[in-house]
Amino acid sequence: MRADNFLTEAGQPPIYYFAYGMLTDPEIMDGIPLVGKAILSNFEFEMFMYANVKPSPRSKVYGTLWEVNREVISRLDQIEGYPTLYDRKMVPVISNGKRYEAFVYTLTPESRQELEGSEPSQGYINKLIRGYKNANVPLEQLQRTL
């Protein structure tokens, strides 16, 4: 998704995006500034054909935090099939000991129901592994769901 000459819009605060699935992969997020490994509290990681997070008290999901702009969010919306496949919401995450408000994509209830029982491809899993390793995200949550 190469972001040539990445700049936050002048005078605008940065926009953050929390990724836990294929968009943790630095090859896909090429040129997008990585803030680092991040934690999303009160959500649980789950895997169908695609990764998802769902609300779950006292649970946590590890992922990556990216600094994006409106153009990148627009491209992410297309990749994630927003608003039909995934919905987008703002959530608090912690990265490097600091709290950020970040966008996260979650499967819509209809999509989650349709994907129930499906499994990810090995190529999809490889993207997650590459992204997790790049940002030192523990592989445990991925291994637990597979």
Side-chain angles (χ1 to χ4, degrees), residues 9-49:
E9 290 89 355
Q12 298 295 316
I15 301 170
Y16 297 99
Y17 164 60
F18 176 79
Y20 54 84
M22 75 174 192
L23 295 176
T24 61
D25 185 350
E27 290 184 15
I28 296 173
M29 299 296 280
D30 188 32
I32 308 298
L34 174 65
V35 176
K37 175 175 75 174
I39 300 170
L40 171 62
S41 294
N42 298 313
F43 279 79
E44 178 183 345
F45 181 84
E46 60 182 1
M47 182 67 78
F48 302 105
M49 180 185 295

Side-chain angles (χ1 to χ4, degrees), residues 18-25 43-53 60-63 86 118-134 136-146:
F18 176 79
Y20 54 84
M22 75 174 192
L23 295 176
T24 61
D25 185 350
F43 279 79
E44 178 183 345
F45 181 84
E46 60 182 1
M47 182 67 78
F48 302 105
M49 180 185 295
Y50 308 116
N52 187 45
V53 294
K60 63 183 171 185
V61 176
Y62 291 93
Y86 281 89
S118 66
E119 295 185 8
S121 69
Q122 188 60 52
Y124 184 84
I125 293 166
N126 291 344
K127 289 177 173 117
L128 273 69
I129 292 170
R130 185 170 39 241
Y132 283 25
K133 286 184 175 180
N134 179 66
N136 296 314
V137 171
L139 291 175
E140 182 184 323
Q141 74 185 10
L142 180 58
Q143 293 165 335
R144 249 193 339 262
T145 61
L146 299 175

